[in-house]
Amino acid sequence: MSVEEILKAAKTASVTCATTSEFARDAALTEMAEALRLKVDDILEANAIDMAAAREAGTKDSLLDRLMLDEGRIYDIADALEDLRNLPDPLGVVEEDRILDSGVHMQRISVPMGVVAMVYEARPNVTADAAGICIKTGNACVLRGGSMAHNSNITMARILHDAAVEAGMPQNCIQAIQTTDRSATDELLNARGMVDLLIPRGGAGLIQHCVEHATVPVIETGVGNCHVYIHNPANIQMAKDIVINAKCQRPGVCNAIETLLVDQDIAKEALTVILPALHEQGVILHTDPLASGIVQDLPGIPAIVSTMQDWETEYLGLEIAVRCVKDLDEAIEHVNRFGTMHSECIVTEDAAAAERFLAEVDAAAVYWNASTRFTDGGQFGLGAEIGISTQKLHARGPFALEALCSYKYVVRGTGQVRA
Amino acid sequence: MSVEEILKAAKTASVTCATTSEFARDAALTEMAEALRLKVDDILEANAIDMAAAREAGTKDSLLDRLMLDEGRIYDIADALEDLRNLPDPLGVVEEDRILDSGVHMQRISVPMGVVAMVYEARPNVTADAAGICIKTGNACVLRGGSMAHNSNITMARILHDAAVEAGMPQNCIQAIQTTDRSATDELLNARGMVDLLIPRGGAGLIQHCVEHATVPVIETGVGNCHVYIHNPANIQMAKDIVINAKCQRPGVCNAIETLLVDQDIAKEALTVILPALHEQGVILHTDPLASGIVQDLPGIPAIVSTMQDWETEYLGLEIAVRCVKDLDEAIEHVNRFGTMHSECIVTEDAAAAERFLAEVDAAAVYWNASTRFTDGGQFGLGAEIGISTQKLHARGPFALEALCSYKYVVRGTGQVRA
């Protein structure tokens, strides 16, 4: 089917999806989980084709690891669908209920978005995560995964679709784009009236492309140029633990930090402890002139002199930029200028300074004496996560079921007209 | 100042705006209302220049009426600012509050959007409405009104700004674009990182342009191709009252109806009553073949045979399209195909049919036996209104304070790191 035909079918499915019962949607998630487990061989076979092609193309190991499925991973994906099933129904929630002056009865009720399009890169688990979350929220979904995972994606999407339909959801409630042609993404981005929400998930290039070219509503996700700022007075040991955790625990994710800011009057004391610890973890240091001076006194710790570009860089790896700042004002200014409104942390023993940072830094999540790594749907208790929004419209920070719902006003009268 | 300079100044102002107290923001609204009353002569003088130019350009009366200010209208605008002041503070609302497994304290708190840009047409009252609502919600605003009202807008914006600053709000919290050059709008639409939300208000052309060209987040507003559907069995008298109210009370607004659908098996009974009543109000009828047959038996009631284009047309005037449908299914299909997801009404005595219509029609507001004219921030009890959203992201239907706010996660710890 062409993208246009897929979207028409999705639109039709979405009308029925919107009126399915909680029971039907939860039953579909049970069937979908079970189908993945039963058809694990089909999925592995499709994944093997993708893996072979990716290896042949010289794909690097970290990407191959994202692409790779095995029985354990598929069972984890199935378990996640059951976790989703166990969450409360997000639909039909009466958010407001009142009799208006005219005597009509007005309710504001949560409803599905309609048709949700997901555009993502090489991780085939997103196929199941996105399909599951759309079924839970009564949305029809159109999936556009990375071409590298194409066989894995269409195989999983077909299995998930058939299981959902078996359980009573409408035909075409889950569809994957069948072509790897790049123009299909642009068709989705411009399908006004057919796509109610588009969510891009992937690298900065993909997100940027979607945000710049979309005429349909988009939630911008995931680019994280995050900071830890050490403000005098600070517990240096605590600062070290937070910096090491936020930088090194999983450097490739968006809630990892990229720049360390430190008040210049405790820079020597703090960096003398923290930079060797970062070096020990294999982190490459990009230091500003003041920090570079401190590094020179630390035997065996190499550092590269930072440039303006370092403040803007999301390394997504074991590298960090280090800048000494005059005071809280300069730190907040730096974070608001170079940050991507994702996750920002201050380490300090000064409560008033902390509260100013929490209030004035413009980010989805602001931390005082805790690691930025907590910005995560699971950690925040959402029960699921489809992405982390770095925009302020509709959803901010980790988002899941609530963000895939809208609301409508339902008004019941007995013939009232406006005076 | 150039658009870029204005946006930089707005961004700086927004950081301070976000931390102002409820007291300061409400005091600013009091001062702004008072300043409009005190400087009514300055505003009338500026408006007279706009009116003279518009008259000279041969502007039609309905537009001149929108542009025109007099003392009464200015006092009404001032009163509206005081009404806004009396609404509860939308900021700092703790939407979630919990201790996470790791022991950190997480709160989700309502915050301003940041910089809100308004792009609108000839009504100068929008200048004060938008500035007021932005001050109430702690946002810095950038106003880009229609060129026809340019003098009125910049004069009012200056008066409002100076009053707000006098009351303690930061410099540049309210700014109007000083040029009537059209490229300024496109600069706003593409000011990624500088504009957190852009709201277009005006005709379909303006909205379409903004939605298609914006790379900043937008709330789509106001285009309303709305329907009343009369389903058998219906109270014909009630149907007539609702149709007349929804079509004729204020035909130029977005919640007025454009098409009447009627079940064919009561078409004769219903249209024999309703079409003469519409004709009496001066409404031009565009009827499908079946309805045209019924009109032929009504002496002295002219009608034009409708085309497909009529189903798509927002007349915004005393014209209506009339179509006979087979049943509820065909009616829902028509509404979902041609409607603009604004306001849709079913008139029926059949509760089951009504509930299906309310559930399956995809619109911001769905009505059973009440006029679509109730879709309005004031009627819905929002206390204000900045527009009516026809998208499903972030805000749907009439929106006001809540839609100009986002939220942030504030996390306070004692050194926790992620395991």
Side-chain angles (χ1 to χ4, degrees):
Chain A
M1 289 208 283
S2 70
V3 173
E4 200 186 332
E5 285 163 341
I6 284 175
L7 288 174
K8 274 192 184 153
K11 194 85 190 167
T12 303
S14 75
V15 178
T16 309
C17 279
T19 58
T20 49
S21 66
E22 177 184 8
F23 180 81
R25 283 178 276 116
D26 287 349
L29 288 166
T30 301
E31 290 297 322
M32 288 159 70
E34 201 45 34
L36 290 182
R37 293 191 193 103
L38 280 172
K39 305 215 166 143
V40 72
D41 290 341
D42 297 7
I43 300 169
L44 291 179
E45 200 177 303
N47 188 243
I49 298 169
D50 289 333
M51 286 293 288
R55 271 202 206 90
E56 195 152 313
T59 306
K60 63 178 176 180
D61 284 351
S62 61
L63 264 180
L64 286 177
D65 181 61
R66 289 183 181 194
L67 178 59
M68 194 267 287
L69 292 173
D70 56 24
E71 202 172 286
R73 286 186 176 183
I74 294 170
Y75 274 64
D76 285 348
I77 293 170
D79 291 349
L81 290 174
E82 288 173 346
D83 291 345
L84 209 47
R85 178 199 58 202
N86 298 336
L87 294 174
D89 188 10
L91 300 180
V93 178
V94 179
E95 300 168 345
E96 278 183 57
D97 191 318
R98 58 173 102 169
I99 306 295
L100 304 185
D101 291 345
S102 52
V104 299
H105 178 203
M106 184 266 265
Q107 292 182 310
R108 182 174 132 172
I109 294 176
S110 64
V111 298
M113 276 285 165
V115 175
V116 175
M118 284 286 305
V119 178
Y120 52 103
E121 291 179 339
R123 294 174 186 271
N125 65 305
V126 177
T127 301
D129 290 353
I133 215 165
C134 284
I135 290 295
K136 182 74 186 181
T137 50
N139 287 294
C141 69
V142 175
L143 306 168
R144 205 286 185 265
S147 54
M148 198 184 281
H150 189 61
N151 289 288
S152 314
N153 288 336
I154 59 171
T155 301
M156 285 174 79
R158 199 195 59 237
I159 292 169
L160 293 165
H161 171 266
D162 293 351
V165 171
E166 186 73 27
M169 296 299 290
Q171 284 290 333
N172 304 314
C173 58
I174 300 167
Q175 296 177 92
I177 303 277
Q178 298 288 326
T179 161
T180 57
D181 191 342
R182 270 159 189 277
S183 69
T185 300
D186 290 333
E187 274 191 74
L188 290 178
L189 291 172
N190 290 294
R192 302 224 333 117
M194 302 302 280
V195 170
D196 295 293
L197 172 61
L198 184 141
I199 304 171
R201 259 188 68 170
L206 173 72
I207 312 275
Q208 185 82 356
H209 180 83
C210 289
V211 170
E212 285 183 0
H213 294 88
T215 55
V216 302
V218 167
I219 298 180
E220 190 175 347
T221 64
V223 177
N225 187 12
C226 307
H227 304 73
V228 166
Y229 163 52
I230 306 173
H231 173 75
N232 188 21
N235 175 331
I236 302 295
Q237 196 55 43
M238 182 197 286
K240 189 191 85 175
D241 293 344
I242 288 173
V243 169
I244 296 295
N245 183 255
K247 179 68 251 182
C248 308
Q249 197 206 18
R250 247 183 109 189
V253 296
C254 57
N255 59 19
I257 63 163
E258 311 297 348
T259 296
L260 170 64
L261 301 173
V262 56
D263 270 349
Q264 58 191 28
D265 46 6
I266 52 158
K268 195 170 173 68
E269 188 191 345
L271 297 182
T272 303
V273 172
I274 293 168
L275 297 188
L278 283 166
H279 175 66
E280 204 171 291
Q281 298 279 334
V283 178
I284 297 166
L285 308 173
H286 299 260
T287 47
D288 80 343
L290 220 151
S292 298
I294 294 166
V295 175
Q296 278 176 351
D297 295 338
L298 302 173
I301 310 285
I304 302 157
V305 176
S306 63
T307 66
M308 180 72 103
Q309 217 193 320
D310 286 301
W311 313 141
E312 294 168 349
T313 301
E314 193 187 8
Y315 300 111
L316 290 172
L318 288 174
E319 295 187 61
I320 195 168
V322 182
R323 183 183 172 195
C324 299
V325 293
K326 226 166 49 205
D327 53 17
L328 178 62
D329 284 325
E330 198 169 81
I332 291 173
E333 201 189 310
H334 181 105
V335 169
N336 280 339
R337 176 164 173 205
F338 296 106
T340 52
M341 304 204 293
H342 194 296
S343 299
E344 303 294 351
C345 167
I346 182 171
V347 178
T348 185
E349 299 296 300
D350 176 346
E355 293 302 331
R356 260 199 66 204
F357 184 92
L358 297 175
E360 293 183 25
V361 165
D362 189 16
V366 284
Y367 290 87
W368 175 23
N369 291 349
S371 172
T372 55
R373 290 276 297 118
F374 287 114
T375 305
D376 173 273
Q379 294 288 327
F380 276 13
L382 301 187
E385 181 188 293
I386 197 70
I388 296 179
S389 164
T390 52
Q391 71 182 29
K392 288 188 259 188
L393 198 74
H394 189 66
R396 194 176 200 195
F399 63 97
L401 304 185
E402 191 191 341
L404 293 196
C405 298
S406 181
Y407 54 81
K408 84 200 301 188
Y409 289 97
V410 177
V411 185
R412 295 178 179 88
T414 50
Q416 286 85 350
V417 299
R418 188 154 165 197
Chain B
M1 288 209 286
S2 70
V3 173
E4 200 187 331
E5 287 164 339
I6 284 176
L7 287 174
K8 273 192 186 156
K11 193 85 189 167
T12 302
S14 75
V15 177
T16 310
C17 279
T19 58
T20 49
S21 66
E22 176 183 9
F23 180 83
R25 283 177 277 117
D26 287 349
L29 287 165
T30 302
E31 289 298 322
M32 288 158 70
E34 201 46 35
L36 290 182
R37 294 191 191 102
L38 280 172
K39 307 217 163 141
V40 74
D41 291 340
D42 295 6
I43 300 169
L44 291 178
E45 199 176 302
N47 187 245
I49 298 170
D50 290 332
M51 287 292 288
R55 271 201 206 89
E56 194 152 313
T59 306
K60 64 179 178 181
D61 284 352
S62 62
L63 264 181
L64 285 176
D65 182 60
R66 290 183 182 196
L67 177 59
M68 192 267 286
L69 292 172
D70 57 25
E71 200 171 286
R73 286 185 176 187
I74 293 168
Y75 273 63
D76 286 347
I77 293 170
D79 291 349
L81 291 173
E82 288 173 346
D83 291 345
L84 208 48
R85 178 197 60 201
N86 297 337
L87 293 174
D89 187 9
L91 300 181
V93 178
V94 179
E95 300 168 344
E96 277 183 58
D97 192 317
R98 57 173 103 167
I99 306 294
L100 305 186
D101 292 342
S102 52
V104 299
H105 178 203
M106 185 264 265
Q107 292 182 311
R108 184 174 129 170
I109 294 176
S110 65
V111 298
M113 276 287 166
V115 175
V116 174
M118 285 285 306
V119 178
Y120 51 102
E121 290 179 339
R123 293 175 186 272
N125 64 305
V126 177
T127 301
D129 290 352
I133 215 165
C134 284
I135 290 294
K136 182 73 184 180
T137 51
N139 288 293
C141 67
V142 175
L143 307 167
R144 204 282 184 269
S147 55
M148 197 182 281
H150 189 62
N151 289 289
S152 314
N153 288 334
I154 59 172
T155 301
M156 285 174 78
R158 198 194 60 238
I159 291 169
L160 293 165
H161 171 266
D162 293 352
V165 170
E166 187 73 29
M169 296 299 290
Q171 283 291 333
N172 303 314
C173 57
I174 300 165
Q175 296 178 91
I177 303 275
Q178 298 289 326
T179 162
T180 58
D181 191 341
R182 271 159 188 277
S183 69
T185 300
D186 290 333
E187 274 191 75
L188 290 178
L189 290 173
N190 291 294
R192 302 222 335 116
M194 302 303 280
V195 170
D196 295 292
L197 172 61
L198 183 141
I199 303 171
R201 261 187 69 169
L206 173 71
I207 312 275
Q208 186 82 355
H209 180 82
C210 289
V211 170
E212 285 183 1
H213 294 87
T215 56
V216 302
V218 166
I219 298 180
E220 189 174 348
T221 63
V223 176
N225 187 13
C226 306
H227 305 72
V228 166
Y229 163 52
I230 306 174
H231 173 75
N232 187 23
N235 176 331
I236 302 294
Q237 197 54 44
M238 183 197 288
K240 189 191 85 175
D241 292 345
I242 288 174
V243 169
I244 296 296
N245 183 256
K247 177 70 252 180
C248 308
Q249 197 205 18
R250 248 185 107 188
V253 295
C254 57
N255 59 18
I257 62 163
E258 310 296 348
T259 296
L260 171 63
L261 301 173
V262 56
D263 271 348
Q264 59 191 27
D265 47 4
I266 51 160
K268 194 168 175 70
E269 188 191 347
L271 297 181
T272 304
V273 173
I274 295 168
L275 298 186
L278 283 166
H279 175 67
E280 205 170 290
Q281 297 279 333
V283 179
I284 298 167
L285 308 172
H286 300 259
T287 48
D288 78 346
L290 220 151
S292 298
I294 294 166
V295 175
Q296 278 178 349
D297 295 338
L298 303 173
I301 310 287
I304 302 157
V305 177
S306 63
T307 65
M308 179 72 101
Q309 217 194 319
D310 286 301
W311 313 141
E312 293 168 350
T313 301
E314 192 186 8
Y315 301 112
L316 291 171
L318 288 174
E319 297 189 60
I320 195 167
V322 183
R323 183 183 173 195
C324 299
V325 292
K326 226 167 47 206
D327 54 17
L328 179 61
D329 284 324
E330 197 169 82
I332 291 174
E333 201 189 309
H334 182 105
V335 169
N336 281 339
R337 177 165 173 203
F338 297 106
T340 51
M341 303 204 295
H342 194 297
S343 299
E344 303 295 351
C345 167
I346 182 171
V347 179
T348 185
E349 297 297 298
D350 176 345
E355 292 304 330
R356 260 198 68 203
F357 184 92
L358 298 176
E360 292 182 26
V361 165
D362 189 16
V366 284
Y367 290 86
W368 174 23
N369 291 348
S371 171
T372 56
R373 290 275 297 118
F374 287 114
T375 304
D376 173 273
Q379 294 289 327
F380 277 12
L382 301 187
E385 179 187 294
I386 198 70
I388 295 178
S389 164
T390 53
Q391 70 182 30
K392 289 189 258 189
L393 199 75
H394 189 67
R396 196 176 198 192
F399 63 96
L401 303 186
E402 191 190 342
L404 293 196
C405 297
S406 181
Y407 54 82
K408 83 198 305 186
Y409 289 96
V410 177
V411 185
R412 296 179 180 87
T414 51
Q416 286 85 350
V417 298
R418 187 153 165 198

